[in-house]
Amino acid sequence: MASQEIEALSSALARLPGLGPRSARRAVLHLVKKRETALPALLDALLSVQDTLVECRICGNVDTRDPCGICADPKRDARSICVVEDVADLWALDRAKLFSGTYHVLGGRLSALDGVRPEDLAIPSLLTRVEAGVDEVVLAMNATLEGQTTAHYLAERLEDFPVRITQLAHGLPVGGELDYLDEGTLAQALRARRPLQ
Ligand SMILES: [Zn+2]
């Protein structure tokens, strides 16, 4: 039976996505064994983001500054916007290092089942950005039914703007969540992006 403090740490870790009680206990044991090295490194990393994490007011990315590093980077092409469902998708695509434009995080996908409506997503801010002058919008939704419904809804909303609308190439596994794809697959989907039908 572990102490109350260790139980508290385990259950806090177990609530993180991707970790369950079993992985959380293994992580705690690792921290206990490496308390001279791993524990201080983790504490430092957590403390340094605690007060500095912000949401970028332009694209919705999470960073330690606002505008985020991507929006503030003069080498990025602000006239090209890649629209993603979540910050995890943005990070996954940016790890692939193939897209030199900027991003826009919707904050979810349309879902009748979960009651997510257009007004629940960051669509007005996207339209404002497109209205200000954009050449291309890449719809990089997940290859799920809800992701594709969202892409088609956005394509309709963008119809009246003089902007090229493309979407990630098929070849993405159906039901595939971008965050779980390897960088080569993502890069390929981005490189072969095509006009939305
Ligand atoms: Zn940003």
Side-chain angles (χ1 to χ4, degrees):
M1 203 49 202
S3 76
Q4 216 179 344
E5 290 82 359
I6 291 179
E7 283 298 333
L9 175 58
S10 289
S11 57
L13 289 171
R15 283 195 292 273
L16 296 175
L19 287 185
R22 196 186 158 88
S23 315
R25 280 193 297 271
R26 290 176 57 193
V28 168
L29 278 178
H30 174 79
L31 289 173
V32 169
K33 276 188 217 148
K34 305 265 172 170
R35 60 181 158 288
E36 312 270 301
T37 50
L39 197 53
L42 179 63
L43 276 175
D44 278 356
L46 287 173
L47 283 173
S48 71
V49 294
Q50 182 182 25
D51 298 321
T52 51
L53 277 189
V54 280
E55 201 171 278
C56 174
R57 85 190 84 145
I58 298 172
C59 73
N61 187 14
V62 172
D63 202 348
T64 51
R65 53 197 168 135
D66 176 23
C68 71
I70 295 174
C71 288
D73 184 348
K75 289 194 289 293
R76 293 275 182 161
D77 179 7
R79 296 187 66 85
S80 187
I81 298 178
C82 181
V83 184
V84 292
E85 293 176 21
D86 293 308
V87 173
D89 299 330
L90 187 165
W91 291 354
L93 280 165
D94 217 53
R95 274 200 305 271
K97 286 194 190 333
L98 206 89
F99 185 67
S100 57
T102 57
Y103 294 90
H104 194 87
V105 180
L106 289 177
R109 74 224 72 177
L110 295 177
S111 168
L113 205 62
D114 300 328
V116 182
R117 300 154 304 169
E119 53 267 43
D120 299 318
L121 303 177
I123 296 174
S125 51
L126 172 65
L127 297 179
T128 305
R129 290 179 71 188
V130 172
E131 205 166 11
V134 164
D135 297 324
E136 181 183 17
V137 172
V138 185
L139 298 173
M141 281 44 284
N142 289 313
T144 56
L145 182 61
E146 291 171 344
Q148 294 311 300
T149 304
T150 308
H152 281 279
Y153 176 82
L154 288 177
E156 262 175 44
R157 296 289 302 268
L158 292 166
E159 214 169 50
D160 296 332
F161 295 99
V163 63
R164 188 164 71 254
I165 302 168
T166 54
Q167 76 175 151
L168 293 186
H170 281 295
L172 287 182
V174 172
E177 306 257 343
L178 299 187
D179 189 26
Y180 292 98
L181 297 177
D182 67 274
E183 286 156 29
T185 307
L186 272 178
Q188 175 59 27
L190 198 53
R191 202 179 295 124
R193 66 183 182 268
R194 54 182 177 68
L196 194 80
Q197 303 304 318

